[in-house]
Amino acid sequence: MTTTDLFRLLDSRPSEAGWRDLCALLERLDDRRLAAVTPRVLRWPAGQRPMPDHWWAQWVAGDVRPYHALAGTRRLGRLDHVETGTVPVAAEDDFTEEIVDELLAELLHGTGYVASGDGRAGPGGADGTGGPDGPGAGRGAYFYNGASAVGAPPGLRWLALAAAAEWHHSGGDIVRWDTTRDAPLGWYLSGGEHRDEAYDLHVSPDGRTVVTAVEGRWHAWSARTGEPLWEVVPDRGRDLSLSRDDLVRFAFSGDGQRLAVGTGSSDVVAVLDATTGGTLLRVPDARDAFGPVALDWRGHVLAHAGPAGRVVLRDVATGAVLATAETGLTSVGALALAPDGSGLFAVGGAVGGSPEGAGLATAARPAARLFALRPRPGGLAVSAGELLRPTGFTEGLDADSPTAAVTTRAIWTAAGPFAFIGADFGSVLFDGRGQTLWADPASALAAFTPDGRALVVVQEDIDAWFLDGLARPDDAAPPPPARECPGQVLLTGLPASLAGGAAGEAPAGGELPCSHWSVTVAAIADDARALAFCAKLDRRSADRPQVLCRWPEAGAPPEVSLLPAVEGAAYVADLLFGPRGDVLARALLGEEPCLVLTDVATGRTRWRHPLPPAAPHGRDRLRLAFSADGSRLALAAHTVGRVVVVDAATGETIREITEPARHPEHWRRPRVDMAALDTAGERVAFGARDDLSRVTVRDVATGKTLLRAEPARLRQITGLAFAPDGTRLAVAGSTDDGHAALWTLPLAGDREVPPVAPRIAVRDLSMHDQPDGTLVWSAVSGGPRAYFPGSHGWGAVWDAATGAVLAHMPFGRADGGVALAPDGRALVTVTQYGARRWPL
């Protein structure tokens, strides 16, 4: 065949015969001509470019040639081949010197099989593991329920596979299956000796060690013989009978000397010596660290996941935090560090999208973010790239599902990072540019080879997909540029002295986390001059003290203190700064619920206003609202169904309003949602709900009803605000269809107004009943600005004047506090890892 034949084949419709002829031509090309035709070859679908048998024989023998990079896939076999230790097609020239050595070792050591506890044949040796006597004929693996994990070495001469456990009986077998020839299985663990299944099998970069976790124990075996190398029980004080409720993830350093381990629910993150299993670093339990994990090439830098989609980078030698990164992901399923430590790749799921496409989906679709890392004094500087969302086959994938948590994988190769996610209704492979390289409509599990040459995908079939052969030359756009994380960092932690007895938990840097639990309530003054939030400073205590931070001068370090504790009222329900930022109101619950006003400059209590006992069925929800001139303060008690207006100077009651029931026979009394005061505090608005949601405005002096409205399609209210001129009332909330919306009610004319249609702000932003949002309307903002809290791990800040989404919050109230300043210009989020001011 000639060059003309080559181009004729490349222009023809892909076919099996055409690919076979094309392979024969590609083998004859020199490097220059091969590079010239590579883009055209890669336009053929990867599934129609299977690696021929003789290429495969060369590849697994380590004789990798340039034209091998043009193969897209190779069928390795099926799970029933694993059960019997066979392959569909034996590789040519498979009897290399190494394989001969292995066969001789097997013959010398014999079979050594005994009956396992469940009556099935099992490997001999202690605890049913492998060892020198383990490999041999006469024992089949049990993969009737499928596979639960796969590990792939460089070269793909064999695979480590874990079988799914029998739901009523035994655990899953863990075996070594030769991909090149019919051969006896190598055994690592027999399912008859345990009642669990492995969810992450990792093979060391040199292919000599296999690691996994079963029943809470971390195991390492010789990949070749199945002999146990070490076993680690991370915490003998815990119940380790089952590990399926505690997903364990592993990651080797690039040189294979160190192994990072992260657990899903027991908050154990450690770095081990890969040879001995000795602990090099154990992140203290108090640091809220969990898997997934990643190491750089030398194992000097550890990356692990934190709450609310955060990633923490630590120095392995000291455990000190080098940096934290907010990924914007609702969940992080896998991490990868660049071999030289210059980048971090976080993979998981994200809800929402760009401002122009905000809220078009509520499921967490596959997503990732690239971070550039560079050294700085005392740590690492982090610059975040754009959120990557692979296109095409991702609409039906829920990357936040339990299945995705088990299957998500990431790797960083010389060609950049890659990610795999297998969800309940589809699987996808994409690269660091967000390009979808491979997809399948069914769920799958997979493993990258340590050298990054191939991805092994396991369903009922077992296939290798070669990453070079999946490249898409037509879409070879550069990755999005890195950008600094949005906004200004206000806090990275709290002074250790603030926690008193808990100060001993502070890391070497002398800082405590902002909280040892999620920050649920926060408030910010105009211009971010002061910040207040609830915190859990002692993991052993249920107390949630309130932290006050003040910035007397721009750019100066904050003055941090605790607000005075209030006897009998320890649970903070709401915080709100006065319009001038000089006072802070606290709505507190407990045996003696109360409303407290604190002087911001001194931290002293100005007055305490007692409240009626909370509802007998659980805690009430209290929401605060100042008048624009700061003279009056309103408090709405949701469950009690009462609104109290007090004088902000003295704390004395001016008006108390209880919403009457629309229908006396209704099964529950009305609930009050939110409250708002006009500029001078002469009118109070509040939302009420029994069978329908409605808005009421009353005169504070007389209690007279000035307006009663039932906005069309209003399901629940998340915010109320008067216009600065007092002519209109804005209502934020969700519609019956689950859209975040705004209603604007006129305040002139009759008390009863016709239904007002909603203005849709963010579509399909699912919000559970009575979430805590924020709505402000000031002369500075020019119109209403609303924070809409989502229930699926994200929220949005929306500006009514422009109709634009100003910010996407990558977490909800359960994971962090979100505070919008009274003038609407400052947005601050507070999490366990710090506080950040977002640009609006």
Side-chain angles (χ1 to χ4, degrees):
M1 290 187 180
T2 64
T3 303
T4 302
D5 297 324
L6 174 65
F7 286 102
R8 177 181 56 79
L9 285 171
L10 289 173
D11 292 335
S12 65
R13 183 173 182 175
S15 65
E16 182 179 350
W19 173 245
R20 187 167 53 248
D21 294 339
L22 190 57
C23 288
L25 290 172
L26 294 174
E27 294 173 5
R28 305 174 191 172
L29 299 180
D30 57 30
D31 292 347
R32 182 184 61 81
R33 296 173 66 193
L34 187 66
V37 302
T38 290
R40 298 185 64 177
V41 176
L42 293 180
R43 292 191 185 104
W44 278 40
Q48 293 185 280
R49 289 183 276 114
M51 180 174 279
D53 291 344
H54 63 289
W55 287 16
W56 173 243
Q58 295 167 343
W59 202 82
V60 296
D63 181 15
V64 179
R65 306 188 182 188
Y67 49 79
H68 291 169
L70 300 180
T73 185
R74 172 74 185 186
R75 180 174 180 263
L76 303 182
R78 296 171 54 87
L79 288 179
D80 53 7
H81 288 112
V82 178
E83 290 185 323
T84 57
T86 58
V87 294
V89 178
E92 298 178 6
D93 298 328
D94 60 339
F95 281 91
T96 61
E97 181 178 347
E98 182 182 350
I99 293 179
V100 171
D101 290 342
E102 291 181 9
L103 290 174
L104 289 174
E106 292 168 3
L107 292 173
L108 290 173
H109 289 121
T111 58
Y113 278 82
V114 298
S116 59
D118 63 349
R120 300 183 300 176
D127 299 322
T129 59
D133 297 329
R139 168 74 161 97
Y142 189 73
F143 280 81
Y144 180 80
N145 296 311
S148 62
V150 59
L156 290 180
R157 291 255 310 275
W158 53 271
L159 296 177
L161 291 116
E166 300 177 72
W167 65 270
H168 65 292
H169 204 263
S170 298
D173 294 332
I174 304 178
V175 299
R176 166 179 163 154
W177 172 59
D178 197 305
T179 62
T180 65
R181 59 196 171 95
D182 295 344
L185 294 175
W187 282 88
Y188 303 120
L189 199 62
S190 169
E193 302 298 329
H194 60 94
R195 298 294 182 269
D196 195 10
E197 54 194 355
Y199 289 126
D200 194 9
L201 274 172
H202 252 63
V203 180
S204 61
D206 60 8
R208 295 182 178 181
T209 306
V210 175
V211 297
T212 194
V214 177
E215 293 181 347
R217 291 167 168 82
W218 308 340
H219 297 270
W221 297 283
S222 165
R224 176 179 173 182
T225 67
E227 180 180 0
L229 300 179
W230 48 258
E231 177 182 318
V232 172
V233 180
D235 189 346
R236 296 185 182 275
R238 302 180 188 271
D239 179 10
L240 299 175
S241 59
L242 286 176
S243 69
R244 64 185 61 197
D245 295 328
D246 189 15
L247 179 62
V248 183
R249 301 296 297 273
F250 296 91
F252 279 97
S253 58
D255 61 7
Q257 300 301 305
R258 294 181 173 183
L259 175 70
V261 190
T263 62
S265 58
S266 57
D267 292 356
V268 175
V269 170
V271 178
L272 310 180
D273 183 301
T275 303
T276 65
T279 301
L280 303 177
L281 169 67
R282 168 77 180 260
V283 178
D285 295 343
R287 301 297 174 253
D288 292 308
F290 49 86
V293 289
L295 289 170
D296 64 353
W297 179 265
R298 295 294 183 187
H300 293 165
V301 177
L302 165 71
H304 66 78
R310 282 170 199 80
V311 176
V312 182
L313 295 140
R314 294 181 183 272
D315 178 68
V316 173
T318 65
V321 174
L322 301 175
T324 62
E326 295 180 0
T327 66
L329 303 172
T330 57
S331 62
V332 178
L335 297 171
L337 278 167
D340 62 358
S342 64
L344 170 70
F345 191 47
V347 183
V351 183
S354 59
E356 60 271 18
L360 298 182
T362 54
R365 295 180 182 175
R369 195 183 293 277
L370 271 170
F371 296 88
L373 308 178
R374 64 181 186 276
R376 65 172 177 81
L380 293 171
V382 181
S383 299
E386 297 298 323
L387 191 68
L388 304 175
R389 298 174 181 271
T391 57
F393 187 77
T394 60
E395 287 76 8
L397 276 67
D398 183 0
D400 200 18
S401 66
T403 302
V406 171
T407 63
T408 302
R409 298 289 184 268
I411 194 171
W412 199 309
T413 73
F418 295 86
F420 172 87
I421 297 178
D424 295 312
F425 301 103
S427 306
V428 64
L429 168 71
F430 59 96
D431 63 13
R433 297 182 177 89
Q435 297 174 330
T436 299
L437 304 179
W438 172 90
D440 191 275
S443 178
L445 56 91
F448 292 98
T449 57
D451 57 13
R453 291 180 179 272
L455 175 76
V456 176
V457 178
V458 179
Q459 295 168 313
E460 187 63 33
D461 292 312
I462 306 171
D463 300 299
W465 294 87
F466 303 103
L467 299 187
D468 286 341
L470 294 173
R472 296 175 56 182
D474 293 340
D475 300 326
R483 59 176 177 82
E484 297 294 332
C485 292
Q488 172 192 4
V489 175
L490 300 179
L491 287 176
T492 58
L494 297 177
S497 59
L498 204 66
E505 295 183 354
E511 278 193 339
L512 285 169
C514 284
S515 176
H516 285 300
W517 201 252
S518 297
V519 177
T520 56
V521 182
I524 188 72
D526 286 344
D527 298 325
R529 298 192 307 270
L531 169 69
F533 58 93
C534 68
K536 183 177 174 66
L537 301 181
D538 187 348
R539 292 179 65 92
R540 295 175 291 274
S541 172
D543 291 341
R544 296 289 184 91
Q546 295 92 57
V547 178
L548 176 64
C549 306
R550 297 190 305 118
W551 285 266
E553 298 179 7
E559 298 176 359
V560 183
S561 60
L562 294 182
L563 291 170
V566 178
E567 186 177 355
Y571 180 82
V572 61
D574 199 15
L575 296 169
L576 185 64
F577 283 96
R580 293 183 295 274
D582 59 334
V583 293
L584 174 69
R586 291 185 283 168
L588 302 172
L589 290 169
E591 295 180 358
E592 301 176 20
C594 59
L595 176 59
V596 175
L597 195 73
T598 302
D599 185 87
V600 172
T602 64
R604 295 178 181 175
T605 299
R606 290 192 178 183
W607 50 256
R608 171 177 175 171
H609 179 95
L611 297 173
H617 303 294
R619 292 181 176 140
D620 204 348
R621 182 171 60 253
L622 309 178
R623 292 307 307 266
L624 299 169
F626 271 102
S627 59
D629 63 3
S631 64
R632 292 179 175 179
L633 176 65
L635 178 142
H638 170 71
T639 307
V640 177
R642 181 184 295 115
V643 177
V644 179
V645 181
V646 302
D647 187 307
T650 64
E652 296 179 355
T653 300
I654 298 175
R655 173 66 58 184
E656 184 175 303
I657 299 169
T658 301
E659 177 69 3
R662 286 162 46 96
H663 309 292
E665 71 280 2
H666 197 263
W667 67 275
R668 71 174 186 182
R669 58 188 174 185
R671 303 297 196 250
V672 169
D673 297 329
M674 306 298 174
L677 290 167
D678 64 3
T679 300
E682 297 174 347
R683 291 172 294 177
V684 61
F686 57 91
R689 182 180 183 188
D690 37 32
D691 55 337
L692 291 174
S693 294
R694 59 189 181 277
V695 178
T696 299
V697 178
R698 292 199 184 187
D699 182 82
V700 173
T702 65
K704 178 183 177 181
T705 299
L706 304 177
L707 177 142
R708 191 184 302 274
E710 296 178 0
R713 298 164 55 196
L714 173 62
R715 180 172 181 267
Q716 57 187 298
I717 297 172
T718 61
L720 293 168
F722 282 91
D725 61 6
T727 61
R728 290 163 292 168
L729 177 71
V731 182
S734 64
T735 67
D736 293 328
D737 299 326
H739 304 316
L742 185 80
W743 292 259
T744 304
L745 309 178
L747 295 179
D750 297 335
R751 292 190 305 169
E752 300 288 342
V753 300
V756 176
R759 178 185 176 188
I760 303 301
V762 185
R763 294 187 178 275
D764 298 323
L765 177 56
S766 177
M767 294 187 286
H768 294 320
D769 286 345
Q770 318 305 339
D772 293 303
T774 307
L775 178 67
V776 297
W777 193 346
S778 71
V780 175
S781 65
R785 284 187 173 179
Y787 163 60
F788 293 106
S791 303
H792 290 173
W794 74 291
V797 177
W798 179 76
D799 180 61
T802 62
V805 175
L806 303 179
H808 283 283
M809 298 295 100
F811 50 83
R813 182 183 168 104
D815 295 313
V818 180
L820 197 58
D823 64 4
R825 294 201 302 178
L827 171 70
V828 171
T829 57
V830 188
T831 67
Q832 294 167 289
Y833 288 108
R836 180 181 295 274
R837 181 179 180 178
W838 292 61
L840 294 181

